[in-house]
Amino acid sequence: MPYVAALAAIAGLGLAFYFNMVVNRADPGTEVMRELAAAIREGAQAFLRREYRWVAVFVAIMTVLIMIVLPYGAPWGAVAYLMGAVFSALAGVVGMQIATAANVRTANAARDGAAKALPLAFKGGAVMGFTVAGLGLLGISLCYILFVDVLAVDDAFSIVAAFGLGASSIALFARIGGGIYTKAADGGADLGGKVEAGLPEDDPRHPATIADNVGDNVGDVAGMGADLFESYAGSIVAPIVLAALLFGGFATGQEGAIVEVGDNALLQSSFLFPLLVAAVGMIASIVGALLVRGRPGRSLSSQLHFGTNLAMVITGAVSLAAGAWIFADVPEVENGLLLGLVIVIGLVAGYAIGFTSEYYTSDHYTPVKKLAGQSETGPATVIIGGIADGMLSTVASVVLIVAAIGASFWLGDLAFTDELATNGGLYAAALAAIGMLATTGAVVAVDAYGPISDNAGGIAEMAHLPPEVREVTDGLDALGNTTAAVAKGFAIGSAALTALALFRSYTAAVSPPGETLVIDLTSVPVVIGLFIGSMATFAFAALTMKSVGRAAQAMIVEVRRQFAEIPGLREGREGVKPDSARCVAISTDASLKEMVIPGALAVVLPLVIGFFSVEALGGLLAGALATGFMLAIFMANAGGAWDNAKKYIEAGNFGGKGSENHKAAVTGDTVGDPFKDTSGPAMNILIKVMTIVSLVFAPAFI
């Protein structure tokens, strides 16, 4: 089965290569458009090179720490960790390359209408999507083949977990650094240009316009790609490691005592089923992606979501049969079909959480329209309304995630014999996370489509293309904001389920032989950890938001300086150009400096608490999981609602562009920028990084 998964991963990478050729063959437009695209590409690549140099230092330190502290660290734990880090970084590089090539080609295609521009932007996003999913599945398959099948090393499944930690390390800093960059540039551009100078978005006179467009790529493409690479890899690793710890010692009666896989049918099937589901999801995503085409007369939303929806249906149907087949000869499993049904529950829950995000963030529904209406009484009511809607959106998401956990646990309980019912339920809950992200290739494709469309609009504006071209790109971009919110819903929902599985794996890993560590809420160390974990998520959100605020402030000061000191810039005098490179440098320097403390917090805190008390660390993980999930949903949906409320007004409602209502909505959107693109998305990485660090370093704690 790992060989089948590896072949499916290679097929996904092959589709990414094909779509990459299709995009690069498209016409990049006029000479001015090419120059603008080159400036964006240069800024994005320069940032990525500097960011990866910084992150390489952290990866080197963690590699040495793993080799010294962990019994399996030298050399295989370190090798797996480096594999995860390298594959995750590679996904970001590929995504950046294609996004900075697809943006200008999408802008040029928009001159012929949305029917031509949409499939081109989607194919650009699909390169990112299938690179993320392909490299993630290939990396885990290679780890399984190498460490379990070929070398049969001791602690093989702890080594597989180290792959997930490597992916998390890159994702954490890529998401934080990219998020700070993009929102510093975006906030500076909005406040310094739209509000203060009264300039249209992406006006070529604006010094921060290029930096803003660079930010779309470094934050919403490279950062998002690393984020979902980590989420996808973690969702596959979690049930494999959990099965090893819960079922591995079944024959000896010792939880956490991993025995040889050998002819143990329960272990073999429990390990291989997640890989099989991921392979099925990959093939289904390929089929769905190939069927996304521009069709006149159909809404953009229906065309874009068609491939994802089809992939989900195929994955769900095949997973039912796969569960019944792969567990057919396992004595401890009475009904494998129920485990296939768990995958369907994950798919449905992920879709439902995504729809909830769409409901609260799309201008097709009541919440955003009402939020836009609140601009009539100023920015304060816009901000109050967005915060309230974001908080309210957590209700439906929590109900859905609780229902998914409860239903999957119940089905797992029924699927296994009485002796393994409880552990089987926990394993099933971990499988639900794979269900949510099985179609990652298609999900990331529609997510990465968004920043490509946004960049296309910026290039169209700066290149002075006809207004109808910008109308097409604005329609694509508005849909992109919604698809991004949906993808964040998938990522956050899967993070909760994956963290739950890794949390249970941690308690098994630190339990004495024949016992189970109980996280007792009446225990003082546990309560201490609970409060620290809850505090950590708020501190993390505050640190990242303050970082955006400081960087945006520096950007606004620079924009004001250029308008004051460069004669003719504000008036648009011919031949007068802004110093865009200075604004790019401000965002780059600020984001790289500001990402260090929040990123280090996620790794250092669980290590410090773990060496103090494994019970306190259990409380910390529980507190971080609960509060982090809430904050992630709240911030992502509030930010998305503010953004699309602004776009709803810009479409001609409530006074349209340039009105006082529009200025109020721009203020709300600027507040929401770090919510939806920095702090919120990074929260799901935070809770998983803390959990997987705890699991990987569990042998050192005990």
Side-chain angles (χ1 to χ4, degrees):
M1 199 59 65
Y3 296 93
V4 173
L7 290 174
I10 292 170
L13 292 171
L15 182 66
F17 180 75
Y18 167 69
F19 279 163
N20 181 72
M21 290 193 300
V22 171
V23 170
N24 281 295
R25 281 200 300 261
D27 185 359
T30 65
E31 186 64 30
V32 173
M33 294 170 67
R34 297 181 190 189
E35 290 177 0
L36 292 168
I40 294 170
R41 183 182 305 111
E42 181 181 346
Q45 291 177 343
F47 169 82
L48 201 62
R49 285 194 298 270
R50 288 186 59 187
E51 182 184 50
Y52 280 177
R53 282 201 296 267
W54 281 57
V55 175
V57 175
F58 174 82
V59 169
I61 294 171
M62 288 295 294
T63 302
V64 173
L65 188 62
I66 288 171
M67 293 182 68
I68 294 174
V69 173
L70 299 180
Y72 56 82
W76 302 124
V79 169
Y81 173 78
L82 286 173
M83 283 179 62
V86 170
F87 277 42
S88 180
L90 183 58
V93 170
V94 171
M96 185 75 79
Q97 293 290 341
I98 188 60
T100 54
N103 54 7
V104 66
R105 290 164 173 81
T106 300
N108 190 58
R111 300 163 81 176
D112 297 324
K116 185 176 179 181
L118 182 140
L120 191 62
F122 172 78
K123 286 181 172 65
V127 174
M128 181 63 170
F130 286 97
T131 299
V132 165
L135 288 174
L137 183 55
L138 181 62
I140 295 171
S141 300
L142 291 177
C143 281
Y144 191 99
I145 293 168
L146 178 63
F147 301 122
V148 180
D149 286 351
V150 177
L151 298 176
V153 298
D154 294 335
D155 290 320
F157 299 99
S158 297
I159 294 172
V160 172
F163 177 90
L165 178 59
S168 297
S169 298
I170 298 296
L172 181 66
F173 288 100
R175 197 40 136 162
I176 296 172
I180 293 171
Y181 183 110
T182 183
K183 292 305 109 179
D186 197 4
D190 282 351
L191 294 178
K194 288 183 184 179
V195 176
E196 291 189 3
L199 299 178
E201 187 165 5
D202 298 311
D203 192 290
R205 294 171 289 174
H206 197 321
T209 295
I210 293 293
D212 187 12
N213 283 274
V214 170
D216 291 336
N217 293 288
V218 302
D220 298 336
V221 177
M224 176 274 300
D227 178 357
L228 284 170
F229 179 95
E230 183 267 347
S231 296
Y232 181 64
S235 71
I236 302 172
V237 166
I240 291 176
V241 175
L242 184 64
L245 290 165
L246 296 186
F247 304 149
F250 175 65
T252 64
Q254 294 184 12
E255 183 176 283
I258 303 174
V259 299
E260 294 291 332
V261 177
D263 296 325
N264 188 322
L266 173 61
L267 281 179
Q268 287 183 341
S269 299
S270 300
F271 297 155
L272 298 180
F273 186 53
L275 291 172
L276 176 59
V277 171
V280 169
M282 178 69 74
I283 300 302
S285 296
I286 291 172
V287 173
L290 289 172
L291 295 177
V292 174
R293 299 184 179 91
R295 295 178 175 86
R298 293 185 59 184
S299 71
L300 296 178
S301 179
S302 65
Q303 293 181 59
L304 197 60
H305 287 300
F306 174 77
T308 304
N309 295 340
L310 178 63
M312 289 174 59
V313 171
I314 294 173
T315 302
V318 177
S319 294
L320 285 171
W325 168 66
I326 205 165
F327 289 101
D329 298 322
V330 180
E332 295 84 6
V333 178
E334 296 179 338
N335 191 340
L337 182 67
L338 296 180
L339 296 177
L341 186 57
V342 167
I343 302 299
V344 177
I345 288 175
L347 284 164
V348 172
Y351 181 85
I353 293 173
F355 176 76
T356 299
S357 297
E358 182 174 3
Y359 175 76
Y360 280 99
T361 60
S362 171
D363 60 9
H364 292 102
Y365 298 101
T366 303
V368 168
K369 292 179 179 179
K370 285 187 175 181
L371 184 61
Q374 290 179 285
S375 65
E376 294 182 323
T377 49
T381 48
V382 172
I383 293 170
I384 291 169
I387 290 174
D389 285 343
M391 289 181 171
L392 193 61
S393 71
T394 64
V395 175
S397 297
V398 168
V399 169
L400 289 168
I401 203 68
V402 167
I405 292 171
S408 57
F409 183 89
W410 176 65
L411 289 173
D413 187 299
L414 292 177
F416 284 79
T417 59
D418 291 342
E419 197 171 9
L420 283 177
T422 300
N423 287 345
L426 290 167
Y427 172 73
L431 289 178
I434 298 182
M436 282 190 180
L437 290 179
T439 57
T440 288
V443 171
V444 178
V446 298
D447 191 2
Y449 145 94
I452 290 173
S453 301
D454 193 3
N455 257 208
I459 291 172
E461 182 81 25
M462 289 184 285
H464 301 292
L465 296 184
E468 55 268 23
V469 176
R470 185 60 196 252
E471 289 176 8
V472 171
T473 60
D474 280 350
L476 298 176
D477 183 29
L479 177 58
N481 285 328
T482 301
T483 59
V486 171
K488 288 167 188 169
F490 273 90
I492 293 166
S494 69
L497 293 173
T498 301
L500 174 65
L502 293 172
F503 179 46
R504 182 62 183 89
S505 299
Y506 163 76
T507 62
V510 297
S511 296
E515 300 179 21
T516 302
L517 175 67
V518 176
I519 306 300
D520 184 359
L521 288 178
T522 63
S523 168
V524 171
V526 171
V527 173
I528 290 173
L530 193 68
F531 277 106
I532 293 175
S534 300
M535 171 276 296
T537 58
F538 282 88
F540 182 83
L543 287 170
T544 50
M545 290 181 69
K546 288 175 77 67
S547 296
V548 170
R550 285 191 292 267
Q553 192 172 20
M555 185 70 72
I556 293 169
V557 170
E558 176 62 20
V559 169
R560 288 172 178 170
R561 183 195 68 79
Q562 292 197 32
F563 280 136
E565 297 180 6
I566 300 178
L569 178 60
R570 187 191 294 267
E571 296 76 18
R573 186 184 305 166
E574 187 175 354
V576 177
K577 294 183 179 181
D579 184 1
S580 300
R582 176 59 187 154
C583 291
V584 171
I586 287 174
S587 271
T588 300
D589 294 340
S591 59
L592 294 176
K593 180 178 68 175
E594 298 281 4
M595 75 179 182
V596 175
I597 294 178
L601 174 69
V603 177
V604 173
L605 189 59
L607 291 178
V608 171
I609 300 298
F611 283 112
F612 166 71
S613 167
V614 293
E615 290 86 359
L617 181 53
L620 179 144
L621 297 178
L625 172 58
T627 58
F629 178 75
M630 298 291 187
L631 278 172
I633 292 289
F634 155 60
M635 299 182 91
N637 289 345
W642 278 316
D643 194 350
N644 276 337
K646 176 200 69 176
K647 284 184 168 58
Y648 186 68
I649 293 173
E650 289 176 343
N653 302 290
F654 298 108
K657 287 185 178 181
S659 65
E660 291 301 315
N661 293 351
H662 182 231
K663 291 180 180 178
V666 168
T667 302
D669 175 39
T670 306
V671 173
D673 278 339
F675 271 50
K676 69 181 178 65
D677 290 324
T678 307
S679 303
M683 199 63 63
N684 64 299
I685 303 177
L686 173 71
I687 59 179
K688 281 188 291 184
V689 166
M690 295 174 75
T691 310
I692 200 165
V693 165
S694 303
L695 173 61
V696 169
F697 284 90
F701 299 151
I702 57 175

